Amino acid sequence: MKILVIVSQTQDTEAKIKVSAAGNSIDTEGMKWIMNPYDEFAVEEAIQTKEKHGGEVVVVSMGPARVVETIRQALAMGADSALHILDEGSPDMDSFAMGKIIAGEIRKLGGFDIVFTGMKIIDEESGQVGVQIAEELGIPHVSLVSKVIEINPSANKAVCQKEIDGGHMVVEVPLPCLITCPDAMNEPRYASLPGIMKAKKKPLTEVKVSDTNLDGLARVKTVEIKVPQIERKLRIIKGQDGPMVKGAEVEKSAEELIKLLREEAKVI
Amino acid sequence: MSNEVWVVADLKIDGSVRQVTFEALSEARKKIAGKLGGELCGVLIGSGVSGHAAELGKYGAEKVYVVDNELLKDFNTEGYTIALSELIKKHSPAVVIAGNTVFGQDYFPAVAARVGAGVTMDAIEIDLTNDKKLKIKRFSHSSKAIPTQVFLDHHPMMTTVRPNSFKAVEDPKTPEVVDGAVTINSGDIKSKVIEIKTKGSDRPELTEAERVVSGGRGLGSEENFKYIYQLADMLGAAAGATRAAVDAGYCPYDMQVGQTGKAVSPNLYIAIAISGSVQHFAGMGSSKVIVAINKDPEAPIFQKCDYGIVGDLFDVLPPFTEKVRALVSQS
Ligand SMILES: Cc1cc2nc3c(=O)[nH]c(=O)nc-3n(C[C@H](O)[C@H](O)[C@H](O)COP(=O)(O)OP(=O)(O)OC[C@H]3O[C@@H](n4cnc5c(N)ncnc54)[C@H](O)[C@@H]3O)c2cc1C
Ligand SMILES: Nc1ncnc2c1ncn2[C@@H]1O[C@H](COP(=O)(O)O)[C@@H](O)[C@H]1O
């Protein structure tokens, strides 16, 4: 099987967020860059698929030179080769343009059986590029797959479970198809030391976005970013001896909390 | 191109219209349709769904397009994508809105790609600029940032909206019902839904609830989640959970609140034995009042809640629930 996995590099959003001076982007100075966590699940699923059915895993990632680090991570986990779509920060890039460009490059690669992507990128959180790529490629997709039940290349189909409100859905889809991955669908493996060594020698092709015509491709522009300021009251009831409420304090703390919720917050 | 503003109804598995549809209609009327000078329209996609037109009218829809087709009986990605894209191509609306539900997230970006439209997901504010471009606000960076995005010169302009972000306000109209029949060949629907399992629940839905009671890994077992359900039922609240609790098998995935789970924004969020991770807060950080019960005084949640008790949930919760019960039976 030819298995594709589309990975992005993202700002580690555990970190503190600061808006840039221009006011419409995030200041990435000193920011830690990581493989998008959802894409780790996608890489793991791709590698497991190869382990079961044979074939190769090709990584595709778009972004500036630094994303090579993320590509190497995927290769170290067990992917076989990679395509880097180099974009040194085109000013008019949005999700729509990105999806078009990535899909265009995938089409050139051709001959794939299945494509895995993450459900969304955790910095911008645009949540659409995976599904859009499927649409541009003209292949069916199953989004937010909680479990790949079966991939059957000889019967040319995949069966996936997807969670819906109040239950779940099982979807059967013909290959080639695209699957978007949320968390917890598998346990992404760590790159082993030999894996990391091998990754350095795996083939990595580069194409440049500047070779693509971007005119009029973007649909949406970010004009401003604000950091929400929610002031919390921080009224914490603690114990007298030691932090936890104990004994008779328990009853009193419950009473006090109810009073606060009723009289101060007015929510019960 | 028309000036119409469309809200695509989101139907539950039982066929009823999801609340976010009414919220979106109300907000689109208030913020967009008037300024644009276009009609507010509802869109119903499914099989045997035309009966819902009156409900959409109740929240201001002046016109309702109905795509009624046997092949659309249950939600399926390709059927919905064909139905909505064909309808868009035929009538060329200015703005198209849907709820950011499991289904909206699934087919809306596909429709946008098919009709060449831009789309934003999970908006918490919608508006129109002076030159009549859709302008939205949403959360990014695990809810630590709120970007404002403006659409460029392409039509239509599409967005999904986060449930529970807007008030549903009635504005009764008798909508004109327009037959939106589109041709769908069964061969066009390549993916098949082979099973749908739902278990009914009497509790309100997480994304729609005014109050939410959630449990974390500290609950320790599926059995102990009864403490969460008891308090939730006492408060008429929805029940939620962290990913750690879901992973441990204490409760089903559809209770997960957070970046990968549901985004909720209730008046009251009670977090029990939840440490307060960035990913959990990405889904509930905008709640009006946050309450934490946790035995660890150093738990991060105590840095970002309104009220809290440092204590063992097994000590604190029974008397707390009992007092809530007394309060509820009084009123
Ligand atoms: C890509 C990705 C996506 C994620 N998405 C989500 C998501 O959508 N939602 C989500 O919730 N998480 C998500 N997570 C996981 C997240 O990082 C945390 O691991 C998770 O939220 C922790 O859950 P918890 O607070 O229940 O568990 P813990 O962090 O283990 O906290 C348990 C808490 O319970 C307290 N406790 C224990 N016993 C008691 C007791 N008897 N009485 C009172 N308190 C007690 C402890 O003091 C502790 O603070 C995601 C992670 C990743 C990497
Ligand atoms: N620059 C990128 N390069 C490669 N894949 C991407 C890129 N941006 C997004 N993706 C893929 O699309 C998914 C959804 O991203 P998004 O729509 O940006 O939230 C991600 O999890 C990736 O799999």
Side-chain angles (χ1 to χ4, degrees):
Chain A
M1 290 184 91
K2 186 159 171 182
I3 304 152
L4 300 191
V5 58
I6 320 300
V7 301
S8 50
Q9 191 179 52
T10 177
Q11 299 157 26
D12 184 355
T13 54
E14 298 265 352
K16 213 173 151 63
I17 296 295
K18 211 179 114 215
V19 178
S20 69
N24 64 354
S25 64
I26 296 294
D27 188 351
T28 56
E29 179 77 27
M31 181 81 78
K32 197 170 133 206
W33 295 90
I34 56 172
M35 183 190 289
N36 186 38
Y38 300 112
D39 302 356
E40 283 186 41
F41 297 103
V43 173
E44 177 62 34
E45 207 58 45
I47 296 170
Q48 284 187 18
T49 306
K50 176 180 94 167
E51 285 168 350
K52 257 188 225 133
H53 303 287
E56 52 165 337
V57 175
V58 183
V59 180
V60 178
S61 185
M62 173 163 153
R66 60 171 156 73
V67 308
V68 169
E69 203 182 315
T70 291
I71 292 176
R72 293 278 178 215
Q73 185 184 339
L75 292 172
M77 286 169 78
D80 299 286
S81 65
L83 175 70
H84 175 201
I85 308 167
L86 180 69
D87 172 33
E88 288 295 358
S90 313
D92 292 331
M93 191 63 75
D94 73 345
S95 297
F96 187 89
M98 202 182 288
K100 276 256 190 225
I101 292 166
I102 296 173
E105 294 301 332
I106 293 178
R107 219 177 290 119
K108 286 186 210 157
L109 286 177
F112 54 88
D113 300 291
I114 194 161
V115 185
F116 293 98
T117 77
M119 66 174 273
K120 71 173 158 191
I121 193 161
I122 64 161
D123 52 11
E124 305 280 343
E125 296 197 44
S126 57
Q128 52 181 272
V129 171
V131 170
Q132 189 200 346
I133 290 173
E135 182 61 31
E136 298 283 351
L137 294 174
I139 60 174
H141 72 267
V142 192
S143 68
L144 305 169
V145 168
S146 54
K147 193 159 85 192
V148 174
I149 298 172
E150 181 197 358
I151 291 174
N152 188 336
S154 50
N156 205 41
K157 66 169 191 187
V159 181
C160 306
Q161 179 167 324
K162 153 187 181 77
E163 307 301 310
I164 58 174
D165 287 302
H168 70 255
M169 211 174 207
V170 177
V171 183
E172 185 185 298
V173 57
L175 304 178
C177 69
L178 183 144
I179 288 174
T180 84
C181 305
D183 70 322
M185 70 181 309
N186 57 38
E187 286 265 356
R189 69 195 65 193
Y190 289 104
S192 65
L193 200 56
I196 295 170
M197 296 313 290
K198 270 196 230 153
K200 291 185 181 150
K201 297 200 197 75
K202 289 183 177 169
L204 193 165
T205 315
E206 184 189 284
V207 293
K208 287 195 176 63
V209 162
S210 49
D211 301 341
T212 317
N213 184 6
L214 271 173
D215 283 353
L217 214 45
R219 296 291 190 265
V220 176
K221 188 175 172 171
T222 301
V223 293
E224 185 186 57
I225 299 186
K226 283 253 157 70
V227 173
Q229 299 294 356
I230 306 182
E231 294 278 323
R232 294 288 172 193
K233 290 208 168 68
L234 305 175
R235 290 272 300 259
I236 315 298
I237 305 165
K238 296 187 180 136
Q240 292 279 320
D241 338 291
M244 285 212 269
V245 293
K246 285 258 160 63
E249 291 170 351
V250 170
E251 190 85 17
K252 264 183 41 207
S253 70
E255 215 151 79
E256 193 181 335
L257 180 56
I258 294 221
K259 195 159 173 229
L260 287 167
L261 294 179
R262 216 174 138 73
E263 290 168 16
E264 191 177 282
K266 300 194 167 65
V267 284
I268 60 173
Chain B
M1 192 195 85
S2 84
N3 275 341
E4 288 183 354
V5 179
W6 288 9
V7 172
V8 189
D10 195 286
L11 303 181
K12 297 185 189 180
I13 293 294
D14 69 9
S16 60
V17 181
R18 209 174 273 283
Q19 184 68 13
V20 66
T21 307
F22 306 133
E23 295 164 2
L25 277 168
S26 308
E27 195 71 7
R29 162 164 44 90
K30 191 164 111 194
K31 295 285 185 57
I32 297 178
K35 275 190 235 173
L36 199 58
E39 269 182 311
L40 180 65
C41 310
V43 177
L44 283 164
I45 298 173
S47 174
V49 289
S50 56
H52 292 305
E55 286 168 74
L56 306 187
K58 197 162 133 193
Y59 291 90
E62 298 156 89
K63 194 192 263 183
V64 175
Y65 292 96
V66 181
V67 186
D68 209 313
N69 194 310
E70 280 263 304
L71 293 168
L72 301 170
K73 193 170 150 290
D74 292 319
F75 174 84
N76 71 77
T77 306
E78 286 150 319
Y80 266 59
T81 304
I82 295 168
L84 186 56
S85 359
E86 290 304 315
L87 202 63
I88 289 175
K89 284 184 202 157
K90 195 159 157 197
H91 299 277
S92 202
V95 176
V96 188
I97 302 172
N100 196 64
T101 59
V102 186
F103 296 149
Q105 291 174 57
D106 184 70
Y107 80 103
F108 227 58
V111 173
R114 193 167 292 190
V115 302
V119 63
T120 53
M121 306 298 287
D122 213 12
I124 52 167
E125 275 182 46
I126 53 174
D127 209 342
L128 209 65
T129 63
N130 290 336
D131 57 352
K132 304 197 168 171
K133 297 287 181 290
L134 180 63
K135 174 167 130 180
I136 65 105
K137 281 191 179 25
R138 56 185 189 84
F139 284 110
S140 71
H141 296 78
S142 301
S143 301
K144 291 180 190 175
I146 300 183
T148 302
Q149 293 181 305
V150 174
F151 283 68
L152 302 169
D153 212 0
H154 289 277
H155 280 89
M157 303 175 279
M158 298 176 64
T159 191
T160 63
V161 296
R162 179 175 288 201
N164 225 356
S165 301
F166 314 122
K167 258 210 182 73
V169 184
E170 291 186 18
D171 177 26
K173 299 265 159 54
T174 308
E176 173 198 351
V177 176
V178 180
D179 181 6
V182 299
T183 317
I184 305 175
N185 303 310
S186 59
D188 294 338
I189 301 182
K190 296 189 210 103
S191 54
K192 282 199 297 257
V193 176
I194 53 179
E195 182 187 302
I196 296 182
K197 268 228 168 82
T198 51
K199 35 190 180 332
S201 165
D202 296 336
R203 286 185 202 100
E205 280 205 22
L206 263 175
T207 53
E208 298 177 353
E210 292 282 320
R211 296 168 179 167
V212 175
V213 179
S214 287
R217 196 202 313 260
L219 264 295
S221 70
E222 184 181 1
E223 161 77 14
N224 286 340
F225 249 77
K226 67 169 187 265
Y227 290 107
I228 301 297
Y229 303 132
Q230 279 164 3
L231 180 57
D233 291 343
M234 215 51 71
L235 288 165
T242 61
R243 163 171 154 191
V246 172
D247 274 2
Y250 303 164
C251 53
Y253 174 82
D254 67 355
M255 281 172 62
Q256 182 169 320
V257 172
Q259 192 174 69
T260 345
K262 305 248 157 66
V264 302
S265 188
N267 280 331
L268 175 63
Y269 190 90
I270 305 185
I272 293 158
I274 290 176
S275 61
S277 67
V278 171
Q279 293 86 2
H280 191 69
F281 263 73
M284 45 60 79
S286 60
S287 304
K288 200 163 141 253
V289 172
I290 298 175
V291 176
I293 297 176
N294 195 304
K295 67 179 183 187
D296 175 10
E298 307 295 331
I301 196 159
F302 285 129
Q303 306 299 317
K304 38 193 183 184
C305 69
D306 295 289
Y307 304 102
I309 299 179
V310 182
D312 193 309
L313 81 95
F314 301 108
D315 292 340
V316 177
L317 220 45
F320 182 73
T321 306
E322 202 39 55
K323 283 176 207 307
V324 172
R325 184 198 310 274
L327 207 70
V328 171
S329 61
Q330 261 172 40
S331 55

